[in-house]
Amino acid sequence: MTQSASILLVDDDWHLVQSMADWLRQLGHSVDVADCVDGAKASLQQRRYDLMITDLRLREEDGFVLIGHARKHHPETTVLVMTGYGTPDTALEAIKAGAFDLLTKPLIDDELNLAISRAVSQRDIERENEQLRERLDRRTGLEGIISHDYRMMKIFDVIDSVADARASILITGENGTGKSMIARAIHERSSRRGKPFVEVACGALPDNLLESELFGHVRGAFTGAATDKVGKFQLADQGTLFLDEIGTATAAMQVKLLRVLQEFQFEQLGGTKTQSVDTRVILATNEDLSKAVSEGSFRQDLYYRINVVNIVLPSLRERVGDIPLLVDYFLREAAETCGREVDAFTPDAMAQMQSYQWPGNVRQLQNVVERAVLLSRGNQLTLEDLPPEVLGKIADPMSPSMNESPMAPPNLSVTPVDLQNKSLREALEGPEREIILHSLRRNNWNRAATAESLDINRTTLYKKMKRLGLDDPRLQFAQ
């Protein structure tokens, strides 16, 4: 049986159009009728139709005009054409104009029914494909990274700029800031998106196993190596290899990585044959590699090799304006997964989450939202649904010193390491920026009030804001 559809039937033969409408209604379709181009346009404007069936000759008007109008303004409506003067050229012209099919009068019931069934099926397939594309975009593209913070917008611009570059990219940021998602977004925005994206957590493996994991090994290379194994560099050939926690690599592993990143050649563990690959490498760390270089624990030549493009991800506490967006996304996702009817967090609960420092960043926020949904007793999530560390009732095991309010005075402590190789002006820029930013937030970004509270004139404030990168208007939405 043909699936029911909403149909607009257009013909200037009023008896024919009424007879067809009655027959289509008996088949279970919802049918409206029109006898001219203007009448059909008015009906299309008032209601969304699955299908429009139209004659090519409508009084003194051309049916091709109506087909073009529907294609341009109502692309969701499939068009079937019927005519008493059908020729191959007419059919070809109708299809080019945007018609799905052409039927010749007098119409045969089975032929019309089959054409409607095909048109409805085609419509359903197109809708399913569109939904699939949207889901894939959310999972693999930048659309899956939820933010309206100006820092993240700049990162998105960088991703688009370097997506197809062969150079290595280093992503730095605290744990839980989404380094893996950024790496995957770069891959999906590149010409390599149809090839493998392979991820390796370097810190999870001892040195000998990491070498085998990256480069593979030959049979007998070590105890337990009963067969040959292909490494991740080969598996990611033509695609992207993402090396997370690169700061944990040992000195010996750093030497091997330097060679493969320079020459894209290597030997398997225990093997002598040189392998060549075309693998794009993205690396990530939560450590300060420049400090590790100065301390001698990370090779300087490898650091310069991998730090061609450095993407620095801000922590969640630096983009508090994104918290409501992220909470809403995680809430809907968790509610669907758990089968719970949950609407939103109360304003008090949301305010508490925005005042918390989130040492675990986005990953911690996601876990907190999932926990709240699982333990919820109603449609509204309240302060009672938040864990004690977010409420400030216990010290956060992840960061015992990070439970201060964003409106509390900034931490301006400076260590000798902070002053290393810096002039006095450079050393003072960090505390000065924090003081001005804190005052701007406290005064709701009123510059006159901020200048007064800091006891400086407004011109001086504007100059300092520009020098310290505080003049971007989007910054106020990240507080």
Side-chain angles (χ1 to χ4, degrees):
M1 180 179 179
T2 303
Q3 184 180 346
S4 62
S6 56
I7 300 174
L8 175 62
L9 191 57
V10 188
D11 199 303
D12 57 1
D13 185 337
W14 195 246
H15 294 292
L16 173 63
V17 80
Q18 290 294 348
S19 175
M20 285 184 62
D22 289 341
W23 179 71
L24 290 171
R25 291 184 184 115
Q26 290 176 10
L27 294 178
H29 301 296
S30 170
V31 183
D32 290 333
V33 298
D35 62 356
C36 62
V37 172
D38 288 341
K41 288 181 178 180
S43 296
L44 288 169
Q45 186 66 31
Q46 293 172 6
R47 179 183 175 186
R48 177 171 178 165
Y49 293 94
D50 296 319
L51 184 64
M52 180 175 71
I53 305 175
T54 180
D55 197 345
L56 284 180
R57 293 189 179 184
L58 301 169
R59 298 177 184 173
E60 301 301 322
E61 299 174 303
D62 188 351
F64 284 105
V65 174
L66 181 58
I67 297 173
H69 174 83
R71 181 179 186 179
K72 181 178 181 180
H73 299 284
H74 307 280
E76 73 283 355
T77 300
T78 303
V79 179
L80 284 179
V81 170
M82 55 183 178
T83 180
Y85 308 92
T87 66
D89 289 341
T90 304
L92 182 60
E93 189 178 356
I95 299 301
K96 285 183 176 179
F100 175 73
D101 202 354
L102 182 140
L103 305 173
T104 304
K105 294 180 180 179
L107 299 179
I108 300 172
D109 290 354
D110 289 344
E111 182 184 11
L112 177 58
N113 199 20
L114 178 60
I116 293 174
S117 179
R118 289 177 57 240
V120 171
S121 297
Q122 179 68 19
R123 174 209 64 188
D124 291 342
I125 291 172
E126 290 176 355
R127 288 180 181 177
E128 288 175 3
N129 287 341
E130 183 62 30
Q131 292 171 358
L132 178 60
R133 281 193 293 270
E134 289 177 357
R135 288 198 298 270
L136 288 174
D137 284 344
R138 286 197 298 269
R139 291 179 181 179
T140 61
L142 288 180
E143 293 77 8
I145 306 171
I146 301 169
S147 178
H148 64 196
D149 182 82
Y150 84 101
R151 301 176 188 85
M152 296 301 294
M153 296 299 109
K154 290 182 178 178
I155 288 173
F156 295 164
D157 290 340
V158 171
I159 289 174
D160 284 331
S161 299
V162 304
D164 272 324
R166 180 71 181 272
S168 301
I169 294 176
L170 177 63
I171 305 172
T172 56
E174 297 179 6
N175 285 332
T177 49
K179 295 186 287 293
S180 177
M181 291 185 68
I182 293 293
R184 189 173 290 276
I186 295 171
H187 173 75
E188 291 298 331
R189 291 277 165 147
S190 75
S191 57
R192 299 172 181 262
R193 57 184 170 273
K195 301 299 181 180
F197 176 86
V198 180
E199 184 171 349
V200 179
C202 299
L205 298 170
D207 201 38
N208 60 331
L209 291 182
L210 179 59
E211 182 177 356
S212 171
E213 190 74 11
L214 293 179
F215 307 120
H217 63 250
V218 299
R219 180 181 177 184
F222 53 86
T223 303
T227 60
D228 292 352
K229 177 183 176 179
V230 176
K232 300 299 187 185
F233 269 97
Q234 284 179 281
L235 290 175
D237 191 22
Q238 305 293 320
T240 302
L241 178 63
F242 175 50
L243 302 180
D244 198 6
E245 303 176 54
I246 190 61
T248 63
T250 64
M253 178 55 65
Q254 290 176 36
V255 173
K256 294 180 172 66
L257 283 174
L258 179 61
R259 181 200 170 195
V260 73
L261 291 176
Q262 287 176 333
E263 304 172 5
F264 294 95
Q265 292 182 335
F266 60 91
E267 288 78 38
Q268 291 179 304
L269 185 61
T272 57
K273 182 180 179 181
T274 300
Q275 308 284 344
S276 297
V277 291
D278 175 20
T279 303
R280 203 282 181 73
V281 182
I282 302 175
L283 310 97
T285 182
N286 62 348
E287 299 181 17
D288 184 350
L289 290 187
S290 61
K291 180 180 177 181
V293 169
S294 65
E295 294 174 347
S297 60
F298 199 86
R299 292 181 62 97
Q300 186 180 57
D301 48 4
L302 177 59
Y303 174 68
Y304 290 136
R305 169 61 59 179
I306 67 177
N307 197 32
V308 178
V309 178
N310 184 198
I311 296 177
V312 183
L313 295 184
S315 63
L316 185 56
R317 60 185 171 275
E318 292 178 281
R319 52 186 184 104
V320 182
D322 282 342
I323 289 179
L325 290 174
L326 292 164
V327 167
D328 180 65
Y329 177 79
F330 293 144
L331 181 64
R332 287 185 284 108
E333 191 177 59
E336 181 179 351
T337 302
C338 302
R340 299 290 183 90
E341 293 290 335
V342 181
D343 296 331
F345 282 89
T346 62
D348 287 347
M350 182 63 73
Q352 183 62 34
M353 286 191 286
Q354 287 187 280
S355 68
Y356 180 60
Q357 292 292 289
W358 298 107
N361 292 293
V362 178
R363 187 182 299 127
Q364 184 188 8
L365 175 64
Q366 182 177 10
N367 292 339
V368 167
V369 173
E370 289 178 355
R371 173 189 181 276
V373 171
L374 284 170
L375 301 179
S376 64
R377 293 185 294 274
N379 292 345
Q380 293 287 315
L381 299 176
T382 68
L383 287 169
E384 294 181 358
D385 296 304
L386 298 177
E389 62 270 19
V390 176
L391 297 174
K393 294 182 178 179
I394 63 171
D396 194 326
M398 300 178 66
S399 180
S401 63
M402 283 186 152
N403 286 323
E404 61 188 31
S405 165
M407 287 302 166
N411 180 9
L412 304 178
S413 59
V414 178
T415 66
V417 175
D418 296 324
L419 301 177
Q420 197 171 38
N421 300 321
K422 289 184 178 180
S423 66
L424 178 61
R425 176 173 176 172
E426 290 171 337
L428 291 174
E429 280 185 349
E432 185 180 23
R433 186 181 191 279
E434 290 300 316
I435 291 170
I436 294 175
L437 179 59
H438 171 70
S439 185
L440 284 165
R441 287 173 171 170
R442 190 177 57 201
N443 290 289
N444 295 318
W445 289 82
N446 184 314
R447 298 187 182 189
T450 300
E452 185 178 352
S453 66
L454 294 174
D455 198 22
I456 58 178
N457 62 54
R458 281 183 291 177
T459 302
T460 301
L461 175 64
Y462 296 159
K463 289 181 179 179
K464 288 181 177 293
M465 288 176 64
K466 185 174 183 179
R467 178 169 57 85
L468 299 171
L470 295 172
D471 59 330
D472 192 317
R474 292 171 293 182
L475 183 59
Q476 60 187 294
F477 297 110
Q479 55 182 310

